[in-house]
Amino acid sequence: RHSGPRPRREQEWDDTAPTPTSVNYHFTRQCNYKCGFCFHTAKTSFVLPLEEAKRGLAMLKGAGMEKINFSGGEPFIQDRGEFLGKLVQFCKQELELPSVSIVSNGSLIRKQWFEKYGEFLDILAISCDSFDEDVNVLIGRRQGKKNHVENLHKLRQWCREYAVAFKINSVINRFNVEEDMNEQIKALNPVRWKVFQCLLIEGENSGEDALREAEKFVISDEDFDRFLDRHKGVSCLVPESNQKMRDSYLILDEYMRFLNCRNGRKEPSKSILDVGVEAAIKFSGFDEKMFLRRGGKYVWSKADMKLDW
C-alpha cells in the first residue's frame, strides 16, 4: 500500500482486499426516533429474510470476521427484537464469533430479550447524547413520553444482571457541545464511551435527496476538542472525529452491500450475497490502518474483560 495520499477514481480497485475483522451490519433503516443528525436514515423498509442474513454472516466469518455489530435504524424494531436476537444467537453459538455487539437507542428493549438472548451478547451500546431530557427532545432522541435518561439507567442494570458489557455512544453537536457529562458517565460506568463528532453524509443527512438536514447540528473541530478536553478525566472515553469515522468502519447495509463513505456520501458495492465478500469489500473504501489507529481493535469479548458487573 502507498503511504502518501493518492488520487482516487470514483471506484478504485485496490490490489488486495482488506480483512473484514469488524463489521457493522445495519440490517434495517427503520427507526422509532427522529434524531436530526441521523446518518443512516429510513430510505428503504427492506430487511433480508433471516436465512439470507445468516448466509451472509457465515460468508463474512469465512473471510475473517471476528466482531459483528448490529445497528440500524433501530435494530430492536424488527419483529420486536426477535430477528436481532436470532442473529445474535447465531453469531455467537453457530459462528462462534469472539464478539457480538448491538448499537440501539434502547427504547424498545425488554427484560425478556435479555433473558432469552443476553448470554449470546458481548456488548450493548446505547446512544445517549445528553443527560438533559429537554436536549434529547430537541435532538429528536425520544418517542412519546418515555424518558431516555431514566431508561438508560434501567438498561445499565439489566446489563449487570445478564453479564453484558455496557457501552455508551454520544454524538456531539450544536445542542450538547457545552454540556458537562463527567458525573453521569462515571456513575453509569460503561466499559467504553464513544464520543462522535456530528458527521455530514450527503444523501442521508445533507443535500437534496436527504431525509435529514444536519447542517444546524454541525460543530467545528475546535468545539469538539473543547468537549473532549472537558471530559479528559473519563478514562473510558474514545473520541471519533469526522476523519476517523469516515474511512475506518466497514458498513454493511440492509442488502449486505458495503458502503463507501470516502467521497462524503454512501456509495454501495454489490451485495456480498451476489459477488462474495472479497469482490464487494474492494469497493468499500475501508482504511485498515485508520481502523487500527482509532483503536478499532480492542478487548471486545466479554469473556476477556475483567468486569465488575
Side-chain angles (χ1 to χ4, degrees), residues 277-296:
V277 176
E278 192 172 335
I281 205 171
K282 284 181 177 178
F283 289 114
S284 67
F286 178 58
D287 185 337
E288 245 172 326
K289 288 197 183 82
M290 180 64 93
F291 167 74
L292 295 169
R293 206 179 306 141
R294 74 167 171 83

Side-chain angles (χ1 to χ4, degrees), residues 4-195:
R6 53 182 172 166
R8 295 195 72 88
R9 295 192 297 280
E10 271 287 282
Q11 283 191 319
E12 179 178 297
W13 189 268
D14 281 5
D15 329 308
T16 53
T19 305
T21 313
S22 174
V23 176
N24 297 277
Y25 176 27
H26 296 250
F27 64 81
T28 178
R29 284 177 171 268
Q30 297 298 298
C31 190
N32 60 322
Y33 277 19
K34 290 187 169 58
C35 304
F37 46 69
C38 179
F39 55 83
H40 202 79
T41 54
K43 303 202 99 174
T44 77
S45 57
F46 181 82
V47 178
L48 276 171
L50 185 66
E51 291 310 311
E52 280 293 272
K54 286 181 178 178
R55 180 166 77 89
L57 291 164
M59 290 167 73
L60 287 160
K61 163 79 192 284
M65 176 172 70
E66 296 173 26
K67 177 181 191 296
I68 183 73
N69 178 50
F70 294 106
S71 190
E74 170 48 51
F76 281 88
I77 212 165
Q78 185 68 17
D79 196 16
R80 293 174 64 85
E82 279 299 300
F83 185 88
L84 173 62
K86 286 168 185 165
L87 289 182
V88 164
Q89 183 171 359
F90 174 75
C91 285
K92 184 55 82 174
Q93 225 174 28
E94 312 249 334
L95 299 184
E96 299 181 331
L97 292 183
S99 183
V100 180
S101 67
I102 296 169
V103 174
S104 167
N105 64 37
S107 64
L108 303 174
I109 307 178
R110 289 163 184 70
K111 197 168 186 181
Q112 299 94 294
W113 192 93
F114 275 95
E115 286 166 9
K116 196 169 177 183
Y117 298 112
E119 64 182 292
F120 309 114
L121 183 65
D122 291 281
I123 304 166
L124 175 64
I126 301 295
S127 302
C128 182
D129 306 317
S130 176
F131 291 92
D132 178 339
E133 203 55 29
D134 292 338
V135 174
N136 284 322
V137 172
L138 264 178
I139 287 168
R141 207 178 273 292
R142 185 178 184 154
Q143 185 193 30
K145 296 212 163 17
K146 212 171 199 182
N147 185 301
H148 191 75
V149 178
E150 279 175 20
N151 198 45
L152 188 69
H153 284 270
K154 183 177 72 179
L155 291 164
R156 175 68 187 102
Q157 188 50 41
W158 290 349
C159 282
R160 277 197 191 95
E161 284 176 39
Y162 293 93
V164 173
F166 180 74
K167 183 174 158 184
I168 296 173
N169 285 0
S170 301
V171 177
I172 308 311
N173 62 81
R174 178 56 44 224
F175 297 104
N176 65 1
V177 69
E178 302 302 335
E179 199 171 323
D180 183 336
M181 305 184 188
N182 281 286
E183 273 184 42
Q184 291 93 332
I185 294 290
K186 284 173 182 170
L188 285 159
N189 192 27
V191 293
R192 210 164 152 87
W193 179 31
K194 283 289 266 300
V195 172

Side-chain angles (χ1 to χ4, degrees), residues 249-264:
Y249 281 84
L250 269 177
I251 297 174
L252 207 61
D253 77 358
E254 65 274 28
Y255 301 100
M256 286 198 153
R257 305 177 300 185
F258 287 111
L259 297 179
N260 183 338
C261 301
R262 285 243 168 145
N263 299 324

